[in-house]
mmCIF file of all heavy atoms in Angstrom:
data_model
loop_
_atom_site.group_PDB
_atom_site.id
_atom_site.type_symbol
_atom_site.label_atom_id
_atom_site.label_comp_id
_atom_site.label_asym_id
_atom_site.label_seq_id
_atom_site.Cartn_x
_atom_site.Cartn_y
_atom_site.Cartn_z
ATOM 1 N N TYR X 112 185.220 21.168 221.178
ATOM 2 C CA TYR X 112 184.355 21.238 222.358
ATOM 3 C C TYR X 112 183.504 19.980 222.513
ATOM 4 O O TYR X 112 183.022 19.667 223.612
ATOM 5 C CB TYR X 112 183.458 22.480 222.298
ATOM 6 C CG TYR X 112 182.280 22.369 221.347
ATOM 7 C CD1 TYR X 112 181.065 21.848 221.760
ATOM 8 C CD2 TYR X 112 182.388 22.788 220.024
ATOM 9 C CE1 TYR X 112 179.993 21.740 220.896
ATOM 10 C CE2 TYR X 112 181.329 22.691 219.155
ATOM 11 C CZ TYR X 112 180.122 22.165 219.589
ATOM 12 O OH TYR X 112 179.070 22.055 218.706
ATOM 13 N N ALA X 113 183.293 19.244 221.417
ATOM 14 C CA ALA X 113 182.481 18.023 221.462
ATOM 15 C C ALA X 113 182.923 17.111 220.330
ATOM 16 O O ALA X 113 183.629 17.527 219.403
ATOM 17 C CB ALA X 113 180.985 18.346 221.330
ATOM 18 N N ASP X 114 182.470 15.870 220.385
ATOM 19 C CA ASP X 114 182.809 14.925 219.326
ATOM 20 C C ASP X 114 182.126 15.318 218.025
ATOM 21 O O ASP X 114 180.983 15.807 218.018
ATOM 22 C CB ASP X 114 182.364 13.518 219.735
ATOM 23 C CG ASP X 114 182.678 12.481 218.662
ATOM 24 O OD1 ASP X 114 183.812 12.502 218.141
ATOM 25 O OD2 ASP X 114 181.798 11.670 218.354
ATOM 26 N N LEU X 115 182.828 15.097 216.923
ATOM 27 C CA LEU X 115 182.262 15.317 215.598
ATOM 28 C C LEU X 115 181.430 14.091 215.238
ATOM 29 O O LEU X 115 181.901 13.160 214.602
ATOM 30 C CB LEU X 115 183.377 15.550 214.578
ATOM 31 C CG LEU X 115 182.955 15.745 213.119
ATOM 32 C CD1 LEU X 115 182.091 16.977 212.957
ATOM 33 C CD2 LEU X 115 184.185 15.815 212.223
ATOM 34 N N ALA X 116 180.168 14.107 215.646
ATOM 35 C CA ALA X 116 179.312 12.934 215.453
ATOM 36 C C ALA X 116 178.736 12.883 214.049
ATOM 37 O O ALA X 116 178.516 11.804 213.506
ATOM 38 C CB ALA X 116 178.182 12.940 216.486
ATOM 39 N N LEU X 117 178.465 14.051 213.449
ATOM 40 C CA LEU X 117 177.822 14.121 212.143
ATOM 41 C C LEU X 117 178.645 15.009 211.222
ATOM 42 O O LEU X 117 179.073 16.105 211.613
ATOM 43 C CB LEU X 117 176.397 14.663 212.276
ATOM 44 C CG LEU X 117 175.446 13.788 213.122
ATOM 45 C CD1 LEU X 117 174.149 14.521 213.395
ATOM 46 C CD2 LEU X 117 175.168 12.459 212.439
ATOM 47 N N LEU X 118 178.857 14.562 209.986
ATOM 48 C CA LEU X 118 179.763 15.228 209.056
ATOM 49 C C LEU X 118 179.057 16.096 208.028
ATOM 50 O O LEU X 118 179.682 16.960 207.406
ATOM 51 C CB LEU X 118 180.591 14.171 208.315
ATOM 52 C CG LEU X 118 181.354 13.156 209.158
ATOM 53 C CD1 LEU X 118 182.023 12.123 208.257
ATOM 54 C CD2 LEU X 118 182.389 13.838 210.032
ATOM 55 N N ASP X 119 177.799 15.869 207.791
ATOM 56 C CA ASP X 119 177.062 16.501 206.701
ATOM 57 C C ASP X 119 176.982 18.022 206.893
ATOM 58 O O ASP X 119 176.648 18.488 207.988
ATOM 59 C CB ASP X 119 175.644 15.929 206.666
ATOM 60 C CG ASP X 119 174.891 16.234 205.386
ATOM 61 O OD1 ASP X 119 174.976 17.375 204.892
ATOM 62 O OD2 ASP X 119 174.212 15.330 204.877
ATOM 63 N N PRO X 120 177.270 18.811 205.845
ATOM 64 C CA PRO X 120 177.150 20.267 205.969
ATOM 65 C C PRO X 120 175.755 20.757 206.333
ATOM 66 O O PRO X 120 175.599 21.903 206.760
ATOM 67 C CB PRO X 120 177.547 20.765 204.568
ATOM 68 C CG PRO X 120 178.438 19.717 204.027
ATOM 69 C CD PRO X 120 177.890 18.421 204.560
ATOM 70 N N LEU X 121 174.732 19.909 206.175
ATOM 71 C CA LEU X 121 173.378 20.318 206.533
ATOM 72 C C LEU X 121 173.047 20.067 207.993
ATOM 73 O O LEU X 121 171.900 20.232 208.403
ATOM 74 C CB LEU X 121 172.355 19.607 205.636
ATOM 75 C CG LEU X 121 172.409 19.971 204.150
ATOM 76 C CD1 LEU X 121 171.224 19.364 203.406
ATOM 77 C CD2 LEU X 121 172.442 21.483 203.935
ATOM 78 N N VAL X 122 174.034 19.673 208.799
ATOM 79 C CA VAL X 122 173.834 19.498 210.234
ATOM 80 C C VAL X 122 174.118 20.822 210.938
ATOM 81 O O VAL X 122 175.134 21.461 210.690
ATOM 82 C CB VAL X 122 174.761 18.400 210.791
ATOM 83 C CG1 VAL X 122 174.705 18.362 212.317
ATOM 84 C CG2 VAL X 122 174.365 17.038 210.211
ATOM 85 N N SER X 123 173.212 21.216 211.816
ATOM 86 C CA SER X 123 173.383 22.482 212.532
ATOM 87 C C SER X 123 174.042 22.231 213.877
ATOM 88 O O SER X 123 173.386 21.991 214.884
ATOM 89 C CB SER X 123 172.020 23.158 212.731
ATOM 90 O OG SER X 123 172.181 24.401 213.373
ATOM 91 N N ALA X 124 175.371 22.250 213.895
ATOM 92 C CA ALA X 124 176.159 22.102 215.117
ATOM 93 C C ALA X 124 177.488 22.798 214.879
ATOM 94 O O ALA X 124 178.072 22.692 213.797
ATOM 95 C CB ALA X 124 176.364 20.631 215.460
ATOM 96 N N PHE X 125 177.990 23.516 215.894
ATOM 97 C CA PHE X 125 179.260 24.235 215.743
ATOM 98 C C PHE X 125 180.380 23.305 215.312
ATOM 99 O O PHE X 125 181.208 23.643 214.476
ATOM 100 C CB PHE X 125 179.657 24.894 217.067
ATOM 101 C CG PHE X 125 178.852 26.102 217.453
ATOM 102 C CD1 PHE X 125 178.950 26.638 218.730
ATOM 103 C CD2 PHE X 125 178.005 26.720 216.554
ATOM 104 C CE1 PHE X 125 178.222 27.753 219.102
ATOM 105 C CE2 PHE X 125 177.265 27.834 216.911
ATOM 106 C CZ PHE X 125 177.379 28.349 218.193
ATOM 107 N N VAL X 126 180.430 22.109 215.917
ATOM 108 C CA VAL X 126 181.542 21.205 215.627
ATOM 109 C C VAL X 126 181.492 20.758 214.164
ATOM 110 O O VAL X 126 182.530 20.630 213.506
ATOM 111 C CB VAL X 126 181.536 20.003 216.602
ATOM 112 C CG1 VAL X 126 180.340 19.096 216.383
ATOM 113 C CG2 VAL X 126 182.843 19.236 216.543
ATOM 114 N N THR X 127 180.290 20.568 213.626
ATOM 115 C CA THR X 127 180.152 20.230 212.204
ATOM 116 C C THR X 127 180.511 21.428 211.337
ATOM 117 O O THR X 127 181.180 21.283 210.301
ATOM 118 C CB THR X 127 178.729 19.747 211.908
ATOM 119 O OG1 THR X 127 178.433 18.614 212.725
ATOM 120 C CG2 THR X 127 178.567 19.362 210.446
ATOM 121 N N ARG X 128 180.096 22.599 211.744
ATOM 122 C CA ARG X 128 180.459 23.817 211.011
ATOM 123 C C ARG X 128 181.967 23.964 210.877
ATOM 124 O O ARG X 128 182.489 24.258 209.791
ATOM 125 C CB ARG X 128 179.880 25.035 211.739
ATOM 126 C CG ARG X 128 180.339 26.394 211.236
ATOM 127 C CD ARG X 128 180.234 27.447 212.325
ATOM 128 N NE ARG X 128 181.164 27.208 213.423
ATOM 129 C CZ ARG X 128 181.133 27.857 214.577
ATOM 130 N NH1 ARG X 128 180.202 28.769 214.796
ATOM 131 N NH2 ARG X 128 182.027 27.591 215.518
ATOM 132 N N ASN X 129 182.705 23.750 211.971
ATOM 133 C CA ASN X 129 184.162 23.885 211.936
ATOM 134 C C ASN X 129 184.781 22.866 210.981
ATOM 135 O O ASN X 129 185.745 23.169 210.267
ATOM 136 C CB ASN X 129 184.740 23.698 213.342
ATOM 137 C CG ASN X 129 184.251 24.760 214.314
ATOM 138 O OD1 ASN X 129 183.711 25.787 213.914
ATOM 139 N ND2 ASN X 129 184.435 24.517 215.597
ATOM 140 N N HIS X 130 184.238 21.657 210.982
ATOM 141 C CA HIS X 130 184.680 20.613 210.061
ATOM 142 C C HIS X 130 184.409 21.009 208.613
ATOM 143 O O HIS X 130 185.274 20.865 207.742
ATOM 144 C CB HIS X 130 183.955 19.309 210.433
ATOM 145 C CG HIS X 130 183.740 18.349 209.325
ATOM 146 N ND1 HIS X 130 184.705 17.474 208.884
ATOM 147 C CD2 HIS X 130 182.641 18.121 208.543
ATOM 148 C CE1 HIS X 130 184.221 16.740 207.898
ATOM 149 N NE2 HIS X 130 182.979 17.106 207.671
ATOM 150 N N VAL X 131 183.230 21.523 208.350
ATOM 151 C CA VAL X 131 182.852 21.909 206.980
ATOM 152 C C VAL X 131 183.763 23.006 206.450
ATOM 153 O O VAL X 131 184.168 22.986 205.280
ATOM 154 C CB VAL X 131 181.371 22.348 206.944
ATOM 155 C CG1 VAL X 131 181.019 22.976 205.592
ATOM 156 C CG2 VAL X 131 180.457 21.159 207.217
ATOM 157 N N MET X 132 184.147 23.948 207.310
ATOM 158 C CA MET X 132 185.012 25.038 206.875
ATOM 159 C C MET X 132 186.400 24.545 206.461
ATOM 160 O O MET X 132 187.093 25.205 205.699
ATOM 161 C CB MET X 132 185.145 26.087 207.976
ATOM 162 C CG MET X 132 183.885 26.891 208.229
ATOM 163 S SD MET X 132 183.376 27.899 206.813
ATOM 164 C CE MET X 132 184.700 29.094 206.743
ATOM 165 N N MET X 133 186.808 23.375 206.956
ATOM 166 C CA MET X 133 188.108 22.817 206.564
ATOM 167 C C MET X 133 188.028 22.100 205.219
ATOM 168 O O MET X 133 188.919 22.222 204.381
ATOM 169 C CB MET X 133 188.604 21.837 207.629
ATOM 170 C CG MET X 133 188.892 22.444 208.974
ATOM 171 S SD MET X 133 189.509 21.227 210.151
ATOM 172 C CE MET X 133 191.171 20.948 209.566
ATOM 173 N N VAL X 134 186.962 21.335 205.029
ATOM 174 C CA VAL X 134 186.880 20.403 203.912
ATOM 175 C C VAL X 134 186.296 21.045 202.652
ATOM 176 O O VAL X 134 186.677 20.685 201.534
ATOM 177 C CB VAL X 134 186.041 19.174 204.321
ATOM 178 C CG1 VAL X 134 185.817 18.226 203.151
ATOM 179 C CG2 VAL X 134 186.706 18.449 205.485
ATOM 180 N N PHE X 135 185.407 21.997 202.827
ATOM 181 C CA PHE X 135 184.667 22.554 201.698
ATOM 182 C C PHE X 135 185.026 24.022 201.468
ATOM 183 O O PHE X 135 185.625 24.675 202.323
ATOM 184 C CB PHE X 135 183.164 22.421 201.937
ATOM 185 C CG PHE X 135 182.691 21.003 202.043
ATOM 186 C CD1 PHE X 135 182.626 20.362 203.270
ATOM 187 C CD2 PHE X 135 182.321 20.290 200.914
ATOM 188 C CE1 PHE X 135 182.193 19.043 203.375
ATOM 189 C CE2 PHE X 135 181.888 18.968 201.000
ATOM 190 C CZ PHE X 135 181.825 18.349 202.238
ATOM 191 N N ASP X 136 184.628 24.498 200.310
ATOM 192 C CA ASP X 136 184.765 25.914 199.998
ATOM 193 C C ASP X 136 183.406 26.456 199.589
ATOM 194 O O ASP X 136 182.469 25.685 199.309
ATOM 195 C CB ASP X 136 185.792 26.123 198.874
ATOM 196 C CG ASP X 136 186.684 27.339 199.121
ATOM 197 O OD1 ASP X 136 186.272 28.217 199.911
ATOM 198 O OD2 ASP X 136 187.772 27.407 198.538
ATOM 199 N N THR X 137 183.274 27.765 199.547
ATOM 200 C CA THR X 137 182.024 28.420 199.183
ATOM 201 C C THR X 137 182.272 29.418 198.056
ATOM 202 O O THR X 137 183.404 29.852 197.826
ATOM 203 C CB THR X 137 181.413 29.147 200.394
ATOM 204 O OG1 THR X 137 182.399 30.022 200.969
ATOM 205 C CG2 THR X 137 180.956 28.165 201.454
ATOM 206 N N LEU X 138 181.214 29.792 197.367
ATOM 207 C CA LEU X 138 181.353 30.702 196.228
ATOM 208 C C LEU X 138 181.820 32.078 196.676
ATOM 209 O O LEU X 138 182.642 32.721 196.006
ATOM 210 C CB LEU X 138 180.030 30.804 195.476
ATOM 211 C CG LEU X 138 179.543 29.521 194.809
ATOM 212 C CD1 LEU X 138 178.161 29.720 194.209
ATOM 213 C CD2 LEU X 138 180.522 29.050 193.749
ATOM 214 N N TYR X 139 181.276 32.545 197.779
ATOM 215 C CA TYR X 139 181.676 33.822 198.378
ATOM 216 C C TYR X 139 182.097 33.554 199.817
ATOM 217 O O TYR X 139 181.792 32.501 200.394
ATOM 218 C CB TYR X 139 180.525 34.832 198.358
ATOM 219 C CG TYR X 139 180.181 35.366 196.990
ATOM 220 C CD1 TYR X 139 179.353 34.645 196.130
ATOM 221 C CD2 TYR X 139 180.679 36.591 196.549
ATOM 222 C CE1 TYR X 139 179.034 35.123 194.864
ATOM 223 C CE2 TYR X 139 180.361 37.082 195.289
ATOM 224 C CZ TYR X 139 179.542 36.344 194.458
ATOM 225 O OH TYR X 139 179.235 36.825 193.204
ATOM 226 N N ALA X 140 182.777 34.520 200.422
ATOM 227 C CA ALA X 140 183.218 34.389 201.813
ATOM 228 C C ALA X 140 183.142 35.749 202.485
ATOM 229 O O ALA X 140 183.394 36.785 201.846
ATOM 230 C CB ALA X 140 184.639 33.836 201.881
#
């Protein structure tokens, strides 16, 4: 929906969230 301007998981943006879900994993889901 928009350019991925910021990559850091601590950025609050949907587009960054979608990126983080691809690259990283979490302890629980």
Side-chain angles (χ1 to χ4, degrees):
Y112 77 88
D114 179 46
L115 178 62
L117 298 170
L118 306 175
D119 195 318
L121 295 188
V122 171
S123 182
F125 287 168
V126 67
T127 302
R128 171 205 67 191
N129 298 345
H130 152 82
V131 170
M132 290 296 293
M133 296 181 73
V134 175
F135 297 91
D136 220 339
T137 53
L138 295 175
Y139 289 83

